[in-house]
Amino acid sequence: MNEYSGTPAGAGRRFALIVSRFNSLVTERLLVGARECLLQHGVDDDGIDVYSVPGAWELPQAAARVVGLGRHDGVIALGCVIRGDTAHFEYVAGEASRGLGEVARSSPLPVTFGVLTTDSVEQALERAGSEAGNKGWEAAISALEMADLFEALE
C-alpha cells in the first residue's frame, strides 16, 4: 500500500492570503492567525502576499486571478459573513463558498477556505482567535499540508 499526505512544511514556499475587509474586526484576526501559522511553519515573511478585497463576494474572483499569477504555492481565502435579517447572507455566503470551490477544483495549487459564516458577531469572534481556535490558522495549516501533498503528487 502506498499512502500520500502532506506535512506543514513552509520553508521556501510562498502563499497568498486574500482577505475580505468587510467585518474587519473578525477578518483581521483571521489574517493574524493565518500569518502566524505560516511563519511558525517556516514560511519567510517575504513569502506571504496579502491581497485585500472589499467583501466575501469578491474572494473567488480575486482567488482566480491570484492563482493565474503563478507566484504562489497556495491561496488562503479569509472572510466573514454574518447572518442578518434578509436573504443577503445566503446569497453572499453561498456564492463565496461555491466560487472558491470552483477555483479550488480548477486550480493547479491548493485554495483553502477560511470564510466564517455565522449567526452573530460573537460566534465569529469565537472562531477568530478564542479558545475555539482561529479558522485563519486552520486554513493556513491546510494550505501548507496541501502544498506539500501537491508537490509529492508531481
Side-chain angles (χ1 to χ4, degrees):
M1 174 177 92
N2 297 308
E3 186 175 329
Y4 300 91
S5 64
T7 61
R13 292 205 161 104
R14 181 176 204 90
F15 289 88
L17 299 170
I18 305 174
V19 61
S20 164
R21 291 189 309 269
F22 200 81
N23 291 320
S24 63
L25 177 66
V26 176
T27 61
E28 287 175 8
R29 293 174 188 207
L30 295 173
L31 176 61
V32 167
R35 188 172 172 275
E36 285 178 359
C37 177
L38 294 174
L39 292 171
Q40 287 182 23
H41 287 88
V43 178
D44 289 333
D45 197 41
D46 288 346
I48 301 172
D49 295 327
V50 178
Y51 300 88
S52 179
V53 298
W57 179 267
E58 291 79 19
L59 288 169
Q61 42 193 313
R65 293 295 294 262
V66 169
V67 165
L69 296 174
R71 294 185 203 152
H72 304 94
D73 296 293
V75 173
I76 302 158
L78 304 171
C80 178
V81 186
I82 300 171
R83 188 178 305 278
D85 294 331
T86 68
H88 187 254
F89 172 87
E90 282 81 12
Y91 294 121
V92 173
E95 288 303 316
S97 175
R98 200 170 1 270
L100 287 168
E102 184 179 311
V103 173
R105 286 185 296 278
S106 65
S107 172
L109 52 115
V111 177
T112 61
F113 189 79
V115 180
L116 300 179
T117 54
T118 65
D119 290 323
S120 68
V121 173
E122 294 77 25
Q123 284 180 347
L125 290 171
E126 189 175 299
R127 290 163 177 79
S130 72
E131 291 177 14
N134 184 304
K135 297 300 180 185
W137 173 284
E138 292 177 19
I141 200 80
S142 292
L144 284 161
E145 290 180 22
M146 291 298 289
D148 195 51
L149 176 62
F150 278 31
E151 185 178 297
L153 293 173
E154 290 180 357

